[in-house]
Amino acid sequence: MAEKEPVIEEKEVHGEELINLIVARLWKHLEVYLNQEEIKEKVMAATDNFVELRKVKLWDPMVLLQAKVLKRPWHLNPADESIVFEFEADFKNIEVLLADAKVGIPFGLEVSFRCTIRVTLNHLTSDFLPLYEAVTMYFTEDPKLHFNFLDAGNVLDMPGLKGKLNSITRDTMNSLLVYPNRLAFKMNRDVELSRYQFPLPIGLLRVQVAQIEKLSDNHEAFGTPDFFYRLSCVYGRFKSEVVESKTKEGDTEWKQTVDILVTEPDLEYLKIKVYEEDVVSDDFAGEVFVQDLRNTIALPSAEKNESGKDDSSLTKFRLKGDKTGEATIFLDYISFNEKLMGEDVVPIKTILDSVPLSNQFFVNCYITKVETNELAKEDEREGRSFVFYCLEDDAQIKDFKSFSVDKKGVYKVPMVTRVLLKSMPAKLNFAFSTDKEELKESQMAKFSLDTNDLDRDNFAKRQLREFVVEGVGTISMTLQVATLQNGMGK
């Protein structure tokens, strides 16, 4: 008797329903991917070897709530045509089996969250299928995360531990998937993945918190109060010097400028919190929060006056917090490629020329290949994380990324470090370190780059160098240099 052929159900679907159907078919393959050794190593590195990932089980497929195609973001070169999608999605019933990496105590988590995902098909090409060079994916902001303990984990369901695990879970997810971090997959073996996993900054925003004034009250009983501010962005934090106010009302001035790299301005923010210094504990005074930098780094050409300065109200911000007042914040945006900005806008420039510039050069460094490696073989631990440094980096906000070494002692590439310099030294010295806080001679592999033959006038030019490093092997590096001059990147 002939075997009956399976019945294939036909259903007409459109739009978001079609994408949800595709996701449902791919879901089991995503589960297999998340259980690969490479992902487990990344979780170990992201948690500083505190948590071991044992298994991920995806029960319910992601549900797409909303989808849209974006206009070309500024960070994508017009010559490299790309397609950018943004999805709002729900993830439910994700089971994660973990263990304490030190003592091996297992515990399970049931995770659900809602997030916005940005997916880019990078650099459309006619040279090979599927007609684009790489896919990148990341969450545009911290997902709304909820989780519960499962099985043996219920025994450990204590407020303190739950808070610690919540923090570790968020930090791990942030280090892998939340902007500015991202997953990147190349579609051809000859594609250089570093340019997509670590996209080039489009420019630099120079910030000067010039003064605060008109505070509503005064907690200082004797004399004038002392103030400082903390500036934060997606790449890190900076603390200003402490300055004595000129009046009892708290009128305070600073001369410092802080340089912030900008890559995707619509996803980046600027937060400035002002504090009154106190012997016992510093008192929060107020904050300024700019959620989207697009309108902060550029202005319509018509708003510029004849001197090249702008007359906008962007320099004045209301302080919100315990004390109400006004903050004057001057901003200069230095574009590394003015062609990306368009003809109808110009970079904002409000910082006075008399204020000293923070830095004069920006150097973008990618390690794209490491051939042979003996560095990690003497270490008894199974794999570890490294940080790639430039010792001359003058950046006030340092963007330290961890890079993993696998169990065989082989570096995971690409690696990137971004360097801001007040002046260009004769040599740039680089180091690998296992310690994020302190560089220890015994844990460093070092090499130097002669800067005399670097092209400093063409940021688009990719300059290739190779180094033979003792205990590591041959390192291939790509560099790009921008000269920050007269408010313009060359």
Side-chain angles (χ1 to χ4, degrees):
M1 184 175 176
E3 189 174 326
K4 291 183 70 174
E5 292 185 5
V7 177
I8 300 176
E9 181 183 353
E10 293 185 2
K11 181 182 178 182
E12 187 174 334
V13 293
H14 304 278
E16 294 164 8
E17 187 180 0
L18 173 61
I19 299 176
N20 282 327
L21 181 62
I22 295 172
V23 169
R25 295 291 297 273
L26 294 174
W27 207 237
K28 63 180 180 181
H29 300 285
L30 177 60
E31 181 179 299
V32 173
Y33 172 77
L34 292 175
N35 283 285
Q36 291 182 359
E37 286 299 317
E38 181 181 357
I39 300 298
K40 294 178 180 180
E41 290 171 6
K42 287 183 177 181
V43 171
M44 285 283 284
T47 61
D48 291 327
N49 296 320
F50 180 78
V51 172
E52 174 190 350
L53 174 62
R54 292 191 173 178
K55 187 177 180 181
V56 177
K57 181 65 178 176
L58 304 179
W59 291 106
D60 298 337
M62 176 194 79
V63 176
L64 186 68
L65 304 175
Q66 186 179 9
K68 57 184 176 181
V69 180
L70 302 183
K71 293 181 179 179
R72 177 186 59 82
W74 288 1
H75 76 285
L76 297 177
N77 193 317
D80 297 342
E81 186 182 358
S82 302
I83 303 174
V84 185
F85 302 94
E86 196 166 272
F87 307 101
E88 185 179 340
D90 241 349
F91 291 80
K92 293 182 179 178
N93 291 339
I94 301 173
E95 287 189 12
V96 184
L97 180 60
L98 303 163
D100 184 313
K102 305 296 182 184
V103 296
I105 299 175
F107 57 93
L109 296 175
E110 183 183 58
V111 183
S112 62
F113 58 92
R114 179 171 293 188
C115 64
T116 302
I117 308 170
R118 187 168 290 185
V119 178
T120 304
L121 309 183
N122 294 274
H123 195 178
L124 304 189
T125 178
S126 305
D127 296 336
F128 52 81
L129 294 174
L131 304 181
Y132 50 88
E133 287 195 350
V135 178
T136 54
M137 182 184 75
Y138 50 92
F139 299 156
T140 60
E141 58 185 357
D142 289 350
K144 299 175 177 65
L145 185 66
H146 305 281
F147 71 87
N148 294 301
F149 288 101
L150 299 172
D151 301 326
N154 287 317
V155 179
L156 306 175
D157 197 355
M158 297 179 293
L161 179 59
K162 191 168 184 177
K164 175 68 174 176
L165 288 173
N166 186 28
S167 175
I168 291 174
T169 304
R170 288 182 182 278
D171 290 347
T172 302
M173 187 174 289
N174 286 356
S175 67
L176 296 174
L177 275 172
V178 178
Y179 182 82
N181 302 301
R182 68 195 69 210
L183 294 179
F185 309 93
K186 59 183 179 180
M187 298 294 107
N188 184 283
R189 65 182 180 180
D190 297 327
V191 171
E192 185 182 325
L193 193 61
S194 59
R195 61 186 296 196
Y196 301 116
Q197 187 168 0
F198 306 108
L200 218 58
I202 62 170
L204 179 146
L205 182 64
R206 183 159 285 151
V207 182
Q208 182 197 0
V209 181
Q211 66 177 8
I212 56 172
E213 56 188 338
K214 301 176 183 177
L215 295 178
S216 61
D217 59 2
N218 171 37
H219 295 300
E220 191 73 17
F222 305 98
T224 55
D226 298 330
F227 284 95
F228 67 92
Y229 65 86
R230 296 184 187 273
L231 183 151
S232 60
C233 62
V234 296
Y235 297 109
R237 298 176 178 84
F238 167 79
K239 180 183 176 182
S240 78
E241 60 187 359
V242 179
V243 175
E244 182 179 355
S245 301
K246 298 196 299 183
T247 67
K248 286 192 174 184
E249 287 70 35
D251 295 352
T252 310
E253 295 181 355
W254 287 272
K255 296 294 184 184
Q256 291 172 291
T257 59
V258 184
D259 288 345
I260 299 171
L261 294 172
V262 178
T263 305
E264 296 187 50
D266 63 314
L267 300 182
E268 298 177 21
Y269 65 87
L270 182 65
K271 182 182 290 186
I272 297 167
K273 290 188 173 183
V274 179
Y275 295 87
E276 180 183 345
E277 188 183 50
D278 190 82
V279 176
V280 179
S281 64
D282 299 325
D283 297 328
F284 172 68
E287 71 175 4
V288 171
F289 181 56
V290 181
Q291 189 170 4
D292 182 338
L293 293 186
R294 280 177 295 184
N295 295 328
T296 304
I297 65 176
L299 291 170
S301 303
E303 293 192 22
K304 288 284 180 177
N305 60 32
E306 293 180 359
S307 66
K309 303 288 184 181
D310 69 79
D311 299 318
S312 77
S313 59
L314 282 175
T315 57
K316 295 288 186 181
F317 297 86
R318 295 293 299 173
L319 278 172
K320 297 180 180 180
D322 293 350
K323 301 180 180 182
T324 59
E326 193 170 73
T328 300
I329 303 173
F330 293 128
L331 304 161
D332 275 10
Y333 177 66
I334 301 169
S335 175
F336 294 160
N337 188 345
E338 297 247 329
K339 294 179 181 178
L340 298 182
M341 297 193 66
E343 298 179 355
D344 57 337
V345 295
V346 290
I348 188 170
K349 182 172 175 57
T350 58
I351 296 179
L352 299 175
D353 295 332
S354 59
V355 176
L357 298 180
S358 301
N359 296 288
Q360 296 288 351
F361 297 96
F362 168 66
V363 186
N364 203 61
C365 311
Y366 290 122
I367 291 180
T368 55
K369 185 167 62 174
V370 179
E371 295 179 321
T372 74
N373 187 317
E374 300 293 333
L375 184 62
K377 288 187 177 180
E378 297 179 359
D379 199 315
E380 296 179 355
R381 290 174 293 176
E382 292 189 346
R384 58 179 176 177
S385 297
F386 277 72
V387 178
F388 175 37
Y389 286 93
C390 175
L391 301 179
E392 281 76 29
D393 188 8
D394 291 324
Q396 302 107 314
I397 297 177
K398 298 195 183 281
D399 179 24
F400 290 134
K401 295 181 180 294
S402 291
F403 304 98
S404 63
V405 177
D406 70 14
K407 296 176 182 179
K408 296 180 181 179
V410 178
Y411 284 108
K412 300 290 186 181
V413 292
M415 305 182 194
V416 62
T417 188
R418 286 159 177 170
V419 186
L420 287 167
L421 301 165
K422 292 184 173 66
S423 61
M424 185 66 76
K427 288 186 176 182
L428 289 177
N429 297 294
F430 298 93
F432 295 112
S433 173
T434 54
D435 194 331
K436 295 182 184 179
E437 305 298 331
E438 182 180 359
L439 294 176
K440 299 178 181 178
E441 289 288 334
S442 61
Q443 295 180 330
M444 290 169 58
K446 295 182 288 186
F447 59 97
S448 298
L449 165 70
D450 189 339
T451 63
N452 291 323
D453 61 343
L454 283 179
D455 188 337
R456 307 179 189 183
D457 297 324
N458 183 4
F459 185 59
K461 182 177 180 180
R462 300 162 66 81
Q463 305 175 64
L464 305 178
R465 300 290 186 275
E466 283 194 349
F467 309 89
V468 178
V469 182
E470 183 179 355
V472 177
T474 301
I475 294 177
S476 300
M477 180 188 285
T478 299
L479 301 104
Q480 290 166 279
V481 183
T483 301
L484 315 178
Q485 207 170 35
N486 299 323
M488 297 297 293
K490 284 190 172 183

